[in-house]
């Protein structure tokens, strides 16, 4: 009689239950903070004197914007719209802060120049329209015939102008340069007729009244004594920028522009003579 033994069945493998993990919450804080910093930077940027905090806020917002976009690229953040707005706001804040810095540096430099010229005591006065009796010379000053030569200045010096006979006008003129060019500015323009274009940069600042700036008030005198006006030769084609012709500069305003001459030489004197038949006011050597 045979015995039957029960077969041993292998144990069933354990069941693994897969549990769905919740998706991580998006980290959208960087874009929001960048938007806040950029907006604050715009507020400060509207005030030129507050350009430093505006620049700091713009830089901080820019760094946060970069990291916010990195999170969006890695799908760890979802606020593309907010980050895009923050990018634009940050760019505006950066532009305003840089403009404020430029204004501040320019004003600080102008203040330094004014103080320097005041210390040098360089001040030119336009001749009045009507003759006035001359002051009696003091005993300490030697008497002699008046000279018609104006005070000489170097390029970059500022000349202070006053015209009390008009409307109590007070202004300053600063001449920079010059730049020399021997070729036309493009294929449609003319070359120098006399050898070279000599281009000056004229800056005018009116403090009070109204100052009339005209190119006819300037001329170049060579060492040989020859006179050249701004209308001689092809001077009007010397630069692509609009040259000074006639400008009315009111109190608190500034004007800047090129003034070109067509000359046979590179050196001479730029004479400022707004008094027609009167005495020239100033001469810049170049």
């Amino acid at each position: 009689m045979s015995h039957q033994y029960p077969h041993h069945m292998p144990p069933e493998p354990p069941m693994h239950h897969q549990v769905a993990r919740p998706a991580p919450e998006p980290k959208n804080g960087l874009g929001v903070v960048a938007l806040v910093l950029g907006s604050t930077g715009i507020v400060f940027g509207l005030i030129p004197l507050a350009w430093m905090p505006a620049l700091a806020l713009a830089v901080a917002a820019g760094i946060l914007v970069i990291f916010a976009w990195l999170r969006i690229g890695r799908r760890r953040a979802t606020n593309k719209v907010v980050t895009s707005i923050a990018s634009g706001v940050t760019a505006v804040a950066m532009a305003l802060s840089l403009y404020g810095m430029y204004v501040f540096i320019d004003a600080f430099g102008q203040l330094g120049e004014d103080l320097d010229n005041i210390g040098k005591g360089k001040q030119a006065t336009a001749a009045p329209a009507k003759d006035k009796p001359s002051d009696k010379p003091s005993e300490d000053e030697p008497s002699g015939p008046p000279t018609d030569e104006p005070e000489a200045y170097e390029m970059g010096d500022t000349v202070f102008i006053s015209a009390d006979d008009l409307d109590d006008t007070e202004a300053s003129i600063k001449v920079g340069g010059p730049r020399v060019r021997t070729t036309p500015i493009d294929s449609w323009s003319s070359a120098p007729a006399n050898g070279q274009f000599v281009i000056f940069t004229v800056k005018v600042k009116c403090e009070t009244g109204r100052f009339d700036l005209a190119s006819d008030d300037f001329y170049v005198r060579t060492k040989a004594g020859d006179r050249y006006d701004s209308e001689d030769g092809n001077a009007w084609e010397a630069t692509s920028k609009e040259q000074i012709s006639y400008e009315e500069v009111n109190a608190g305003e500034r004007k800047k522009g090129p003034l070109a001459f067509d000359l046979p030489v590179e050196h001479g004197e730029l004479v400022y003579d707004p008094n027609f038949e009167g005495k020239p006011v100033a001469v810049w050597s170049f």
Side-chain angles (χ1 to χ4, degrees):
M1 186 175 177
S2 61
H3 298 278
Q4 294 182 356
Y5 297 95
H7 297 282
H8 295 280
M9 301 296 293
E12 294 182 0
M15 298 295 293
H16 295 280
H17 299 283
Q18 296 183 355
V19 180
R21 296 181 179 178
E25 295 183 0
K27 299 181 178 180
N28 297 327
L30 292 181
V32 176
V33 175
L35 179 60
V36 173
L37 293 179
S39 301
T40 308
I42 290 179
V43 175
F44 281 98
L46 295 174
I47 307 173
L49 292 178
W51 65 270
M52 293 186 67
L55 181 61
L57 290 169
V59 171
I63 295 174
L64 293 180
V65 163
I66 293 174
F67 282 101
W69 281 115
L70 290 176
R71 283 189 175 182
I72 292 174
R74 297 171 183 173
R75 297 182 179 180
R76 297 174 61 186
T78 58
N79 57 342
K80 290 184 179 181
V81 175
V82 174
T83 305
S84 298
I85 297 175
S87 300
V89 169
T90 300
V92 174
M94 180 67 70
L96 289 174
S97 63
L98 293 178
Y99 176 75
M101 180 176 63
Y102 167 78
V103 172
F104 177 80
I105 293 175
D106 182 69
F108 190 78
Q110 185 63 40
L111 176 62
E113 292 175 2
D114 293 343
L115 294 176
D116 182 64
N117 284 285
I118 291 174
K120 291 180 179 179
K122 291 187 174 181
Q123 182 171 356
T125 303
K130 297 181 180 180
D131 294 334
K132 294 182 179 179
S134 59
D135 296 334
K136 186 177 180 179
S138 63
E139 296 179 356
D140 297 335
E141 297 179 355
S143 60
T147 176
D148 292 333
E149 286 298 321
E151 187 172 355
Y153 295 85
E154 299 294 332
M155 282 293 156
D157 287 345
T158 301
V159 180
F160 294 93
I161 309 296
S162 63
D164 297 336
D165 58 301
L166 297 177
D167 49 7
D168 294 330
T169 296
E170 293 184 357
S172 62
I173 301 178
K174 180 179 179 181
V175 178
R179 295 181 292 111
V180 178
R181 186 183 185 94
T182 58
T183 58
I185 57 176
D186 52 45
S187 58
W188 296 277
S189 301
S190 301
N194 297 321
Q196 54 250 317
F197 293 132
V198 180
I199 307 169
F200 303 90
T201 300
V202 179
K203 299 179 181 180
V204 173
K205 179 181 179 182
C206 183
E207 299 291 348
T208 60
R210 190 196 73 184
F211 184 77
D212 296 331
L213 175 66
S215 59
D216 295 340
D217 294 338
F218 295 87
Y219 66 87
V220 168
R221 182 172 58 197
T222 66
K223 294 182 178 179
D226 298 326
R227 170 172 173 160
Y228 290 88
D229 295 317
S230 59
E231 297 179 354
D232 293 339
N234 300 321
W236 282 107
E237 299 183 70
T239 175
S240 59
K241 296 182 179 180
E242 183 178 359
Q243 297 190 41
I244 292 176
S245 176
Y246 176 78
E247 300 284 348
E248 291 184 357
V249 188
N250 297 312
E253 294 182 347
R254 299 185 184 187
K255 294 291 183 181
K256 175 183 176 182
L259 179 62
F261 294 86
D262 192 340
L263 305 176
V265 294
E266 296 183 10
H267 303 284
E269 294 177 329
L270 177 66
V271 182
Y272 177 57
D273 185 12
N275 301 318
F276 298 102
E277 296 181 358
K279 176 184 175 181
V281 173
V283 171
W284 290 269
S285 300
F286 66 95

